[in-house]
């Protein structure tokens, strides 16, 4: 079971732990199918710690589980599936970024370093990065503001399900749009993910004349 995240820093392949965390992995896969992660930005990057994303509102306070989308607000959150043998031992661990016990919705994080034991048995670990460790390094090196948000947006452009062991519930179909949601640009004066410095291609002598 795996998902491909096409980000503005490169591609990340995540292997999912469906046998250990079936409710969480089903939620993640079906949210990918519903395109809820497309155009999400990384809202919180803490160097050598975690990179957090997965909020379709890009505010840091939004997001619903797929169960909430299908069955209503009372199902927005779902319970933890914390397994003692699933620990934050390696860079690239993927876990739910919950606001407390049983408050899992759509947001998740990816670890950016090894042996982050302070996170163990507090969040549901449900995946491990298999490819794209160079992408994690680029995210880790991002310039951030005092709140941990990158000064240049880092965006999930597409989330693609590579292998899905779960049947689609009948209620899911109406939540799968034909196209991805339109990204909202220039939030808070930040540089967009495709911004690059202007390259002056004029001859050097012409540029020198303006000095």
């Amino acid at each position: 079971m795996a998902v491909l995240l096409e980000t503005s820093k490169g591609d990340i392949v995540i292997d999912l732990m469906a046998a250990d965390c079936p409710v969480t992995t089903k939620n993640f896969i079906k949210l990918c199918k519903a395109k809820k992660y497309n155009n999400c930005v990384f809202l919180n990057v803490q160097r050598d710690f975690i990179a957090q994303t997965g909020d379709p509102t890009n505010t840091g306070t939004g997001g619903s589980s797929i169960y909430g989308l299908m069955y209503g607000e009372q199902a927005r959150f779902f319970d933890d599936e914390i397994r003692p043998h699933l620990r934050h031992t390696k860079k690239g661990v993927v876990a739910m970024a919950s606001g407390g016990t049983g408050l899992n919705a759509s947001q998740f994080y990816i670890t950016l370093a090894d042996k982050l034991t302070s996170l163990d048995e507090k969040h549901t670990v449900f995946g491990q990065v298999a490819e794209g460790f160079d992408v994690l390094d680029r995210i880790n090196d991002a310039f951030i503001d005092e709140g941990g948000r990158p000064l240049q947006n880092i965006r999930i452009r597409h989330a693609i399900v590579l292998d899905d062991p779960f049947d689609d519930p009948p209620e899911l179909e109406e939540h799968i749009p034909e196209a991805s949601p339109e990204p909202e640009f220039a939030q808070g004066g930040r540089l967009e993910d495709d911004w690059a410095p202007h390259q002056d291609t004029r001859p050097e002598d012409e540029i020198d004349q303006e000095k």
Side-chain angles (χ1 to χ4, degrees):
M1 287 67 73
V3 164
L4 166 64
L5 301 182
E6 296 180 344
T7 82
S8 54
K9 294 293 187 182
D11 294 350
I12 300 171
V13 175
I14 300 172
D15 286 340
L16 301 176
M17 301 164 180
D20 288 299
C21 308
V23 176
T24 307
T25 51
K26 182 177 180 180
N27 175 69
F28 188 70
I29 288 171
K30 303 311 180 184
L31 284 173
C32 289
K33 280 193 170 182
K35 299 181 172 59
K36 292 301 180 181
Y37 291 132
N38 292 9
N39 293 314
C40 284
V41 299
F42 283 83
L43 290 161
N44 180 20
V45 175
Q46 300 181 45
R47 185 165 302 215
D48 297 328
F49 191 53
I50 65 168
Q52 182 175 336
T53 184
D55 176 5
T57 70
N58 286 331
T59 63
T61 60
S64 170
S65 72
I66 196 65
Y67 311 110
L69 295 178
M70 293 190 298
Y71 307 125
E73 180 65 21
Q74 76 280 359
R76 177 185 175 188
F77 302 108
F78 61 92
D79 289 338
D80 300 320
E81 291 184 302
I82 294 173
R83 308 294 183 242
H85 66 282
L86 298 180
R87 309 181 77 81
H88 298 75
T89 55
K90 298 191 299 182
K91 180 167 71 174
V93 168
V94 184
M96 294 303 295
S98 63
T101 302
L103 294 178
N104 302 287
S106 65
Q107 296 191 47
F108 64 95
Y109 63 80
I110 305 173
T111 60
L112 300 174
D114 298 334
K115 298 180 179 178
L116 299 179
T117 57
S118 64
L119 296 171
D120 287 343
E121 299 189 47
K122 296 177 182 176
H123 301 271
T124 297
V125 172
F126 67 93
Q128 171 67 51
V129 170
E131 300 176 28
F133 286 94
D134 56 327
V135 179
L136 297 187
D137 290 339
R138 288 193 283 274
I139 295 173
N140 193 45
D141 290 339
F143 292 102
I144 58 175
D145 63 18
E146 63 278 2
R149 182 161 176 173
L151 298 178
Q152 180 177 12
N153 282 334
I154 302 172
R155 193 180 292 276
I156 298 174
R157 291 176 174 163
H158 300 95
I160 301 168
V161 177
L162 302 179
D163 184 16
D164 181 1
F166 304 107
D167 292 336
D168 288 345
E171 299 87 354
L172 180 65
E173 184 176 0
E174 66 179 280
H175 297 284
I176 300 178
E178 294 183 3
S180 298
E182 290 294 326
E184 296 181 14
F185 296 113
Q187 297 182 55
R190 284 173 169 76
L191 300 173
E192 196 37 65
D193 57 27
D194 59 354
W195 178 88
H198 173 69
Q199 297 292 325
D200 197 329
T201 58
R202 294 176 298 167
E204 288 188 14
D205 56 348
E206 183 178 340
I207 296 173
D208 289 340
Q209 292 176 3
E210 293 185 358
K211 295 181 180 179

